[in-house]
Amino acid sequence: MTSHRTGALALLALALILALTRNALPAGLMRPPEWLVWPFADWLNAAFAFCQNDLGLMAVTRFAAAGIAALLDVTGNLFYGKARWPNLGPLPWTTFAITAGALAYRVAGWRLALFAAGTFVWIALMGQWEWAMQTLSVILIAAPVTFVTGLGLGIVAWRFALFERVLNPFLNIAQSLPQFAYMIPVVVFVGVGPKAGAITTIVFALPPMIRMTVLGLKKVPENVVESGLMSGANRWQMLTRVRLPTARNDVLVGVNQVIMQCLAMVVLTSFIGMPGLGQKLLQLMQSLKIGLSFEIGVTIVLIAVTLDRISRAWAEMAPKHFAKGTPWHQRHRVLVIWAILMGVAFALAHLSPWFSQIERSDAFSVAKPIDAAVDILIRLIDPVSQALRWFLITWVLIPFRDGLLWLPFTTVLALVMALGYAAGGARSALVCLGFFGMIAMTGWWDRAMITVYTVIVSVVLAALMGFPLGIWGARAQGRAARVLLVCDTLQTFPSFIYLIPVIMLFGVNDVAVVGAVILFAAVPLVRYTIEGLRGVAPELIEAASMSGADRSQLLWKVQLPMALPTILVGVNQSVMFSLFMVIIAAFIGTQDLGQEMQRALSTTDVGKGLVLGLAVAFMGLMVDHLVTTWSAARTQALGLEPPKRAA
Amino acid sequence: MWSLAVPNAQPVISCRNVWKLYGPKPQAYFAALTAGTSFEQMRGDGYISAVRDVSLDIAKGEMLVVMGLSGSGKSTLVRCLSRLIDSTAGTILIDGDDIAKMDARALIDLRRRKMGMVFQSFGLLPHRSVLDNVAFPLEMRGQDRHDRRARALEVIELVGLKGREDYFPRELSGGQQQRVGIARSLAIEPDIWFLDEPFSALDPLIRREMQDEFLRLKQILGKTSVFITHDFDEALRLADRIAIMKDGAIEQCDTPDQIVLNPATPYVAKFTEEIEKSRVIRAGTLAQAGTAEGQALSASATLHTLARQIAQDSRDLIPVAGPDGRVMGTLNRAAALDILFGAAQ
Ligand SMILES: Nc1ncnc2c1ncn2[C@@H]1O[C@H](COP(=O)(O)OP(=O)(O)OP(=O)(O)O)[C@@H](O)[C@H]1O
Ligand SMILES: [Mg+2]
C-alpha cells in the first residue's frame, strides 16, 4: 500500500510540473502530436468497406434483415394494422389490456394485473395507440431473437472456456459502448427504419443475456450436476434437463435485462428513423412541446414498469403444486378467464369501434393543463432556476471546462496514471495510460476532455445529492425499502425520459444536459449507498455502540468504511450512466464527443462513429478498472467476503 | 443375517491402491511421491490426499459401511467408486470392468443400469416435482411415460411420501427431500447402491423405520451397497463390514465384532471406545470349542440382548447354537459378564 503511495505521488508531482511549466512545454507535450494521432477511422472505414463489398457481407446482413423485417410485418399487422400478412390486425386495444392483465395476474397477482391493464387503457385513451404499438411490435420481435441468440452464445461460452475468454473483452467493450455507436454500422449495413431499429436493439441487448446465461450455468450446484450424472444423463440431457432448468432464474433475470435494454434502445433508435414513441418524443422535445412530451414520457414509463415487473416476477416465480384432483379449469383458471374476456373484447369491438381503436380526435389529453401548470411553475421558480443556471455556468461549468482544456494532455495522462498507481500499482497505472493514451491517439482530445468535464461535474454533483440521500435513506428499515423501490423504478426508465423534466425547467442548453446526467447518475449512488449501509453486519454496529461510538462516529468510522466496496459499485455505475447520458443528451446541444457522434450518424461515417464510441468506452472501462481494483483491495483489507469473480 | 460374503466369488467392486489427491498438479505430484509421505507433509506441499492408497473388495450382496470423521474422505471415496470424479491413481473394477477405462457411453450405460446413489446434500432438481425427480433416471433411460410414472409411484410409496408426488423440493422438509433422493436412487433397481449419509436428515423415528426398510430391501433384493454414516448404532445395525477412514486411508476394514474386539490401530480403538461392546459382540464371536449341556444361546444374538439370560444362568460354560440349531461351542460366562458389566477390579 505504501509503495503504491510513493509511486502515485511521484506521478502526481510529474503532472504538476508539466502543468506548471506549461508555457515552456514543446507543442508535442501540450496536445497529441501528429505522429501520435493515428487514422483509426479511415482504417475502420476501409475494413467495413472490405466486409461490405469484397466479402459480400452486405448480402448476408440484408438477408438477416429481411428475416427480421418479415417478422416485424407480422407484429406490425397485428399491433397497428400494417397492410401485411396475416392481414388480421389491428387487434382491438382491449385485447392487449386483457392479455397484459392476465399475464401479470399469473406471475404476480392482482395489483400488477391492474397496473398492467391500466397501462394499456391509458395508452388507448391518450390516443397514443399507434405509436406505442410501433414500439412494442419491435420489442416483441427483438426480445425473443435476442433471448435465443444470447442463450445460444452463452451456452457455447460456458462450454468452451477459450471462446469465453475471447468473448469477454468484446462484451466488456460492448457494454460500455454508447448506444449511438451501435447505430451507425447498422445504418450502413441495413439502412434506416423499423428493421434497423430492431437489429440495433438486438445487438445492443445481447451482452447481458450472454452474461446471465454463463453465470447461471456456472452457478448450478455441484450436487445437482452429480445427481444428474448418476441418473445416467448424457451430455445433451444434462444441458437441457438438468443445467438449464436449474439455471432458470438467472436466465430469466437475463430476459428481464434484455427486455429493459430493448425498450431503452427502441426509444433511442428514433434517431435512425424508427417510428414510435421515441420518435414522437424526440420531435416534441425538439419543438419544446412540454405537455405532450410529458404524456409520452408517462406512457414510456408505464410500459417500462409493466414490462420490468412482469418479467421480474416471472423470473422469481417458484413452482407450486396443485392439490390432488384439481380439475383442469381450476389449474388453468387464468387461461380460462383470459379466453372468456378475449371473446367479450372481440364482441365489444364488433359492436362499437370505440372498443377497437380510439382515434386521436376522440382521445383525452392532459397536455394543455400540464403546459399551463408548467408555465406557472416556471414563472414561479424562474428566478431560482435562472440564478442556478447562471451560477453553474459562470462559476462551475465554464471555469472547470476551460481549466481542463488548458491542461497539457501529458498532465492528464500523468494524472490518470497517478490514480491507477494509487489504486493498483504499476500495472493499473499502465492500464489507465493505455485507455487514455488510446483516446489521445484518436485525435479527438479536446472533445473528449469536454465529455470528461461534463461527466466529472455531473458525478460530483450527483454524489453531493446522492450520498446524503442514501445515508438518510439507510437510517430506517422501512424508509430504506421505500427509497430502494423508488430507485429501482427510476432505473427501469429509459435514459431518454430524464431529459423531459430538465428541458422543462432549464430549456435547451448545457445546464439541462448536466441536470439530466445528474438525475440519471444519482440513482445508482443512492441505491448502492443504501444497500452498502444496510448490509453492514449488525454485530459490528452493536459492538461499536457498546464501545461508546455516537451516531456520527458510527457512520464515519464503522458503517461507511464497511459499506465502501458496495458504494463503489454505485460510483462505477454512476460514471457509466453519465457517459451514456452525456452522449445521448448531445442532440440538445453540446460540444463534446456526443455531438461529433451525432454528426457521424447523420453522415453514416462508420469509422468515425466507432472511434468516438470506443473513446467513450475507454473512459468507462478505465473508471471500471480503477474502481474494481481499488474496491477489491479495500474488500480484502476489511476481510469481507472476497469479490465475486466471473471466472 | 451377519453371514459374510461367499468367498471366491468375483467381488462386485474391487479397488486396488486408489488415490485421490487435490491440489494444483495431482498427477505430477503423485508420480514424484515417495512411499511413506505423511498426510501432513502432503498438506505442507499444498495437496490433500482425500483418498489414500485404498484397497477394498466388496462382494455381491455385501453391505459395507464407511465411517470416519468429517473430512476423512468418505464422500470422495464413494465418488471415485462411481467415477463422479477420476481417481488420481489405482484401479477400480466394477464387475471386473475397469471404470477408469470406460468411455462416456459405457459409463452412462453403467449408471443407467446398475448404479444408484443417494447424495449427502440431496441434489434434487428444483424445477421438478417429487414424481418427476424420482422418475428422472427412468426418463434418462428412455422408459415411456406410463411405466416410469408407475414405477416412481411405487418407490415413492416405499419411502413414505405417498400423497406428495406433486410437491416441489422447496415445499418439502429436509428429511422429506432426503427420502426423495433415496426413492430416486431406487427407481432403476440398481445392483450397486451408494449411500452418502442417507439418513442424516431424518428424525430418529423415521430413521429407524428407514433402517428396517433398508435391511428388508437388502435381504430381498441382494443389493451390494456402500453406506456412509456418522452414527455407530446405525453402522452396527446395518453393516456386514465396517471400514474406518482417517485422513483418506482406511485404518481398518472388518466385521463390527472384530473392529470392537480387536481394533487394528490406536485410532480405531479410540474411535470405538465409547461403544457399548455388549451391543456389538454376538455370542457366536465369543464361543470357544467345547460342549455343554442344557439350553443353548443363539450365536447371532448380541450379548446385550442375552444379558438377562446370561446373568441368571448358573453354568460356567453356556452352550452356543448356530443358525442351524447345532451347538457350535461354549461361552465363558465370566468373560461375558466382564463385557456386559465391565471387568471386575
Ligand atoms: N473439490 C475439492 N477440492 C479440494 N479439496 C477437496 C475437494 N473435495 C473434497 N476435498 C477435500 O477432501 C477431503 C475429504 O472430503 P470428503 O468430502 O470426502 O469428506 P467426508 O469424509 O465426506 O466428510 P463429511 O463427513 O463432512 O461429509 C477434505 O479434506 C476436503 O477438504
Ligand atoms: Mg461427505
Side-chain angles (χ1 to χ4, degrees), chain B residues 257 261 278 281-322 327-340:
Chain B
D257 314 36
L261 274 181
S278 62
I281 298 169
R282 296 159 200 278
T285 320
L286 288 182
Q288 282 158 349
T291 50
E293 289 301 307
Q295 204 203 349
L297 301 173
S298 159
S300 62
T302 59
L303 294 190
H304 181 79
T305 51
L306 300 172
R308 181 178 291 269
Q309 236 173 309
I310 296 172
Q312 288 173 351
D313 210 306
S314 54
R315 297 168 287 183
D316 285 339
L317 293 174
I318 311 173
V320 175
V327 173
M328 55 180 282
T330 57
L331 176 79
N332 185 326
R333 179 163 168 268
L337 288 176
D338 276 354
I339 291 174
L340 272 171

Side-chain angles (χ1 to χ4, degrees), chain A residues 272-608:
Chain A
I272 51 171
M274 160 74 213
L277 290 170
Q279 197 181 48
K280 220 62 219 166
L281 183 59
L282 185 62
Q283 289 166 1
L284 290 170
M285 281 206 294
Q286 274 167 344
S287 52
L288 282 182
K289 296 220 170 83
I290 297 298
L292 288 171
S293 325
F294 184 82
E295 278 179 13
I296 297 205
V298 170
T299 303
I300 296 179
V301 163
L302 288 176
I303 292 179
V305 175
T306 305
L307 291 178
D308 175 59
R309 292 291 136 86
I310 290 185
S311 54
R312 210 170 337 160
W314 184 37
E316 284 162 6
M317 206 163 68
K320 235 172 59 192
H321 75 277
F322 285 99
K324 255 217 154 54
T326 316
W328 187 90
H329 63 88
Q330 254 171 42
R331 283 174 193 255
H332 303 276
R333 195 161 57 100
V334 184
L335 188 67
V336 172
I337 296 176
W338 173 81
I340 294 172
L341 287 179
M342 287 295 271
V344 174
F346 278 114
L348 280 178
H350 219 70
L351 292 178
S352 151
W354 196 84
F355 284 106
S356 175
Q357 312 291 319
I358 299 178
E359 298 301 325
R360 276 202 67 71
S361 47
D362 301 336
F364 298 91
S365 173
V366 286
K368 286 229 174 65
I370 288 181
D371 276 334
V374 169
D375 266 350
I376 297 173
L377 182 73
I378 287 182
R379 220 167 299 140
L380 273 178
I381 65 163
D382 199 46
V384 182
S385 64
Q386 286 298 334
L388 193 67
R389 215 179 106 189
W390 172 83
F391 171 79
L392 273 178
I393 290 183
T394 39
W395 290 103
V396 180
L397 298 180
I398 295 194
F400 189 60
R401 189 189 68 189
D402 291 350
L404 207 57
L405 288 175
W406 177 87
L407 287 178
F409 88 105
T410 39
T411 305
V412 178
L413 289 184
L415 273 176
V416 294
M417 283 181 77
L419 276 177
Y421 213 107
R427 206 184 87 87
S428 285
L430 284 180
V431 171
C432 291
L433 176 68
F435 282 132
F436 257 64
M438 291 294 282
I439 295 175
M441 289 168 73
T442 61
W444 296 105
W445 184 261
D446 282 20
R447 300 255 171 198
M449 284 308 109
I450 297 181
T451 301
V452 169
Y453 121 85
T454 322
V455 169
I456 292 181
V457 170
S458 312
V459 172
V460 167
L461 290 178
L464 288 180
M465 287 165 33
F467 285 141
L469 196 61
I471 292 170
W472 172 82
R475 280 270 153 80
Q477 176 73 57
R479 193 194 293 160
R482 280 193 298 276
V483 179
L484 279 179
L485 182 70
V486 172
C487 289
D488 238 28
T489 311
L490 286 175
Q491 280 199 315
T492 62
F493 297 178
S495 38
F496 220 45
I497 294 298
Y498 287 81
L499 289 169
I500 303 175
V502 290
I503 290 186
M504 230 151 85
L505 288 183
F506 297 109
V508 177
N509 55 45
D510 258 27
V511 177
V513 175
V514 172
V517 181
I518 292 174
L519 280 185
F520 198 46
V523 179
L525 289 176
V526 176
R527 178 178 171 168
Y528 283 97
T529 307
I530 294 183
E531 281 182 359
L533 288 175
R534 301 288 320 169
V536 177
E539 306 91 78
L540 258 177
I541 297 176
E542 277 165 17
S545 307
M546 289 309 290
S547 331
D550 63 28
R551 206 151 110 167
S552 91
Q553 283 172 323
L554 208 59
L555 181 68
W556 288 102
K557 299 268 159 66
V558 181
Q559 288 173 300
L560 280 179
M562 293 305 285
L564 193 62
T566 311
I567 295 178
L568 283 175
V569 175
V571 173
N572 198 356
Q573 226 182 58
S574 175
V575 171
M576 219 49 127
F577 281 17
S578 328
L579 277 170
F580 280 11
M581 195 67 182
V582 170
I583 303 300
I584 291 170
F587 84 98
I588 58 175
T590 53
Q591 272 116 49
D592 69 337
L593 293 172
Q595 193 200 24
E596 284 301 325
M597 190 109 72
Q598 299 263 341
R599 280 193 199 143
L601 184 58
S602 56
T603 57
T604 57
D605 187 340
V606 187
K608 180 175 163 191

Side-chain angles (χ1 to χ4, degrees), chain B residues 20-23 39 43 48-51 67-79 85 120 196-197 228-230 245 248:
Chain B
K20 176 70 194 178
L21 295 180
Y22 282 114
F39 184 82
R43 185 149 61 191
I48 299 273
S49 56
V51 173
M67 300 194 69
L69 297 181
S70 196
S72 56
K74 307 180 294 293
S75 298
T76 310
L77 174 63
V78 166
R79 281 187 167 72
I85 50 180
Q120 188 170 7
D196 194 347
E197 300 189 29
I228 299 178
T229 181
H230 278 286
M245 289 185 78

